[in-house]
Amino acid sequence: MLTTLLIAVPLVAALVVWLAPLSSESTAGLALLAALAEVGLWAGGVINFDFDGGVQYGWTRPWFDDLGIAYDVGFYGFSLWLAGLAIVVGAIAIGYGMWVERERPRAYYGLMLFLTGAVVGVFASQDLLLFYVFFEAMLIPLYILVGVWGGPRRARATMTFVLYTMAGSLLMLASVVAFGIGQDTFSLIDAGESTNDWIFLGFVVAFAVKSPLLPFHGWLREAYTQAPPEVAAVLSGVVSKTAVFGLIWVVLPHFPEPVDDLRTVLLVLAAATLVYGSLLAFRQPDIRGVVAYSSMGQMGLIMLGVFAVTDVGLDGAVLQSVNHGLVSAAMFLLAGMIEQRRGTGSFSALGGMAKGRPILATVIMATGMIVLAVPGSATFAGEFAILTGVFGRGWGYAAVGAAAIVLAAMYGLRLISAILHDVRGPKEPADEPDLRSGELALVLPLLACLLVLSAWPAAVSDRTFPSDGVQQTIGELPE
């Protein structure tokens, strides 16, 4: 029942927010209360979860008996961590919207809550058609949030995002139907294996769009830079991880032969995405551009761990997914806070913000060190595990990954310098404040989670799959 509660609480709260004639303050307060209750439910679930067991907190009810479709939800270790990422980032995003006082609060907060419920539904789905329903449902609030509350180019950003994601969704729908009919079940637990390359490619392309991977990234910059900062935080930090979940839970266990046949192509694509995203991040003229393309590069690194299809590589991919979700969310929120002060995130208008703002400088430096993956950080642990996993598939992939980490250090240092130390920008306004207590309350929980994972990355990496290996959860890995 806990899984259903985690899905239902934000969805029911969204309906209440939409329908109840509350004031703006009451609407925001109710939305934040529901989001925090969701965090509490998830935390209780983690405490009582047996990470050496199978699916837990499950609930199954027939949906369409004739087609073998059911409402079937539950969590494994790796999906519980991804759901927690969605819940925590979603709550902080709602808090940010409350802090900046978004217009049309009933519509805004309802959409944010609906988005959280749909994403949790994706991570909890044990039925393929149910997975597709939640996968599509989460896109609806994203379209509206970017299109209504986005920046001056929001119409173009929304249209590009819709075209790319709809193309991927249609391919996935065809693959879902073909696979379910071919297996005579849509249950992801009961379904067997398929050797059909076309069904496999339909899923892979859909997840490549969502990540995004080359060459399916055309929607990325406009969507990440035109969306409100908190929506960009959810889009980059959380929604992209639905692709990781789909690959681990839909593709790897059910298409072992196509994965084995096309592994080289997939690894090359992931490595190219990592290098390309890192290079573009270094060239961007603004904060959000750097964070957007660095996210693309990090998703390429995560996909290296996934497509390596080794125990340590998959553990590293899940750990890095959580790391990246927290880092990306923190950076987008900090970008929004800086934009509020300077009216822009362009590096040409920034510089010297460390002077007189010790709290801002400390938070950016601490987050930047994690972006740089300095030894001892959570991101260092995730990257090391991924590179160790992919090394078994070829030392060249590990070498490319290591080189891209150097590129990450370059764009990370450039970002920190351009904000805090560079003097190219105009003279700072005299009344430009340091981070306020409300802003710290939003960023510090993300930074605290990253510091905990830096001290104890095994909290996630040793609790993604059962102790006897990935095979107990997703089956035998392709050789």
Side-chain angles (χ1 to χ4, degrees), residues 88-443:
V88 170
V89 173
I92 291 174
I94 288 174
Y96 184 92
M98 185 176 181
W99 173 255
V100 299
E101 300 179 347
R102 290 291 176 208
E103 297 178 349
R104 306 181 185 92
R106 289 169 62 185
Y108 170 83
Y109 292 113
L111 290 168
M112 291 295 288
L113 288 166
F114 185 90
L115 176 59
T116 299
V119 174
V120 173
V122 170
F123 293 137
S125 295
Q126 305 300 321
D127 181 275
L128 187 56
L129 192 62
L130 183 67
F131 169 83
Y132 179 78
V133 169
F134 280 124
F135 194 84
E136 291 302 295
M138 74 180 181
L139 299 177
I140 297 171
L142 284 172
Y143 298 151
I144 302 173
L145 287 165
V146 177
V148 175
W149 286 272
R153 298 193 305 277
R154 58 184 178 273
R156 175 184 171 85
T158 305
M159 182 59 65
T160 306
F161 184 49
V162 167
L163 291 176
Y164 272 87
T165 54
M166 286 301 295
S169 296
L170 290 174
L171 287 173
M172 183 189 286
L173 178 59
S175 293
V176 166
V177 173
F179 180 78
I181 293 175
Q183 295 290 322
D184 198 30
T185 180
F186 286 87
S187 171
L188 287 167
I189 298 175
D190 298 333
E193 298 174 356
S194 172
T195 60
N196 191 302
D197 289 340
W198 293 109
I199 298 177
F200 165 77
L201 288 174
F203 283 116
V204 169
V205 171
F207 296 138
V209 170
K210 194 66 72 246
S211 301
L213 298 180
L214 279 172
F216 308 102
H217 67 289
W219 60 270
L220 176 138
R221 178 173 170 81
E222 290 290 344
Y224 283 14
T225 58
Q226 294 304 303
E230 69 277 22
V231 176
V234 175
L235 182 57
S236 170
V238 175
V239 173
S240 62
K241 306 311 177 294
T242 60
V244 178
F245 174 82
L247 289 169
I248 292 176
W249 190 223
V250 177
V251 172
L252 296 187
H254 300 111
F255 299 91
E257 186 174 318
V259 169
D260 190 46
D261 292 340
L262 298 174
R263 179 185 289 113
T264 299
V265 175
L266 296 172
L267 287 172
V268 169
L269 185 65
T273 302
L274 171 57
V275 174
Y276 182 77
S278 299
L279 287 172
L280 285 185
F282 182 72
R283 297 184 58 190
Q284 295 309 299
D286 60 300
I287 302 174
R288 287 219 228 174
V290 172
V291 181
Y293 281 110
S294 70
S295 295
M296 178 182 174
Q298 284 298 303
M299 289 307 299
L301 177 66
I302 292 167
M303 292 307 173
L304 275 178
V306 172
F307 295 142
V309 202
T310 60
D311 283 358
V312 66
L314 287 167
D315 287 341
V318 174
L319 173 60
Q320 194 66 3
S321 293
V322 176
N323 292 337
H324 172 256
L326 296 171
V327 169
S328 181
M331 292 305 299
F332 272 115
L333 295 185
L334 285 169
M337 295 169 189
I338 292 170
E339 288 169 3
Q340 279 194 313
R341 286 160 169 77
R342 290 287 174 94
T344 179
S346 175
F347 292 147
S348 62
L350 301 179
M353 294 195 74
K355 183 178 180 181
R357 301 173 195 87
I359 300 176
L360 175 65
T362 301
V363 171
I364 290 178
M365 284 295 295
T367 308
M369 290 300 102
I370 297 173
V371 170
L372 293 174
V374 297
S377 66
T379 48
F380 176 81
E383 290 176 356
F384 187 82
I386 289 172
L387 295 182
T388 301
V390 79
F391 183 83
R393 299 300 182 187
W395 65 267
Y397 302 119
V400 171
I405 291 173
V406 176
L407 293 175
M410 293 171 61
Y411 67 66
L413 289 172
R414 177 172 177 259
L415 178 67
I416 294 170
S417 177
I419 296 172
L420 299 180
H421 307 301
D422 204 324
V423 295
R424 290 176 299 171
K427 184 177 180 181
E428 312 90 55
D431 58 348
E432 192 175 78
D434 202 344
L435 288 184
R436 302 179 179 90
S437 58
E439 293 169 316
L440 279 174
L442 299 171
V443 177

